[in-house]
Amino acid sequence: MNIVVFNGSPRKNGGCAALIQALVAGAQKKGHTAKVFHLIDQRVEPCLACYACMGRKVEFCVHDDDFTPMARDLLAADTVVFASPVYMGQITGLLKTFFDRWITFAEPDFSIRHVKGKRFVTIVTSGAPADRFKEVTDYLKYWLGEFFKMRHAGSLMAGDLHDPGDVQKRPDLLREAEALGQAL
Ligand SMILES: Cc1cc2nc3c(=O)[nH]c(=O)nc-3n(C[C@H](O)[C@H](O)[C@H](O)COP(=O)(O)O)c2cc1C
């Protein structure tokens, strides 16, 4: 099984990154392969609302940036992982800008192409206790599950994390992430 991961944290040494690493290690134990994209390294322009994608005037988007190669990996994946810290009560701008570009997967009648039926996992980190920003996980579950018709395969909410290394002091969270990967 192919897994593709999108990390919305700008910290490649942060909590999301470590939890992703643990999830991937768990998945690899089961023989799965995974590709991780740190969105901070990718050039992803904002959606222009031109609707050229919905009109099928272009394959994915009028922008010639890193979204199209990532979309090809996404299409080849069985499972998609969205990871983000909570920023001002929401997913990060990095992840949101990337996610806006998913309008390309919606048909003009809002039926869904390409991603429908794939499995998804969410990882959300926060400075506050984990359940304080449950709505961020609920947001991702709604849009990936209800709107994009993907199948929920697990969610990890990790709170009380501030400095990049904090998660290393939380073996419970690293174990939970690894178990999520193993269960895929
Ligand atoms: C700009 C900014 C906004 C943040 N907003 C929130 C917030 O609204 N709620 C919260 O609990 N933590 C907030 N945080 C803290 C991060 O969510 C937290 O440190 C998280 O564990 C970082 O994850 P990372 O290590 O994967 O980058 C914010 C941090 C930054 C830099």
Side-chain angles (χ1 to χ4, degrees), residues 84-121:
S84 181
V86 177
Y87 274 15
M88 310 306 180
Q90 250 300 352
I91 58 173
T92 60
L94 275 176
L95 187 60
K96 183 60 164 56
T97 301
F98 168 75
F99 199 23
D100 286 350
R101 298 280 295 277
W102 277 44
I103 195 72
T104 190
F105 303 132
E107 304 280 3
D109 66 356
F110 293 108
S111 57
I112 300 301
R113 63 173 180 151
H114 299 318
V115 295
K116 184 177 174 178
K118 291 183 190 296
R119 296 200 297 172
F120 74 93
V121 171

Side-chain angles (χ1 to χ4, degrees), residues 8-60:
S9 171
R11 302 201 294 199
K12 290 197 283 182
N13 62 343
C16 282
L19 294 167
I20 288 166
Q21 210 175 16
L23 180 145
V24 167
Q28 284 170 341
K29 280 186 187 163
K30 296 286 176 181
H32 306 314
T33 56
K35 189 163 183 178
V36 180
F37 289 101
H38 298 282
L39 294 174
I40 192 70
D41 291 337
Q42 304 294 316
R43 193 167 61 84
V44 181
E45 300 292 339
C47 173
L48 297 174
C50 67
Y51 296 103
C53 56
M54 275 190 172
R56 294 288 179 278
K57 296 188 182 105
V58 291
E59 184 192 9
F60 289 117

Side-chain angles (χ1 to χ4, degrees), residues 72-156:
R72 293 196 207 293
D73 280 304
L74 179 55
L75 265 48
D78 310 286
T79 300
V80 182
V81 180
F82 265 37
S84 181
V86 177
Y87 274 15
M88 310 306 180
Q90 250 300 352
I91 58 173
T92 60
L94 275 176
L95 187 60
K96 183 60 164 56
T97 301
F98 168 75
F99 199 23
D100 286 350
R101 298 280 295 277
W102 277 44
I103 195 72
T104 190
F105 303 132
E107 304 280 3
D109 66 356
F110 293 108
S111 57
I112 300 301
R113 63 173 180 151
H114 299 318
V115 295
K116 184 177 174 178
K118 291 183 190 296
R119 296 200 297 172
F120 74 93
V121 171
T122 66
I123 296 174
V124 173
T125 58
S126 60
D131 55 357
R132 168 63 186 82
F133 289 100
K134 182 178 173 292
E135 67 262 27
V136 178
T137 296
D138 290 341
Y139 163 82
L140 290 172
K141 281 168 73 177
Y142 173 80
W143 283 96
L144 293 169
E146 301 298 321
F147 186 82
F148 285 107
K149 313 252 177 316
M150 297 168 73
R151 293 180 293 138
H152 184 233
S155 286
L156 174 54

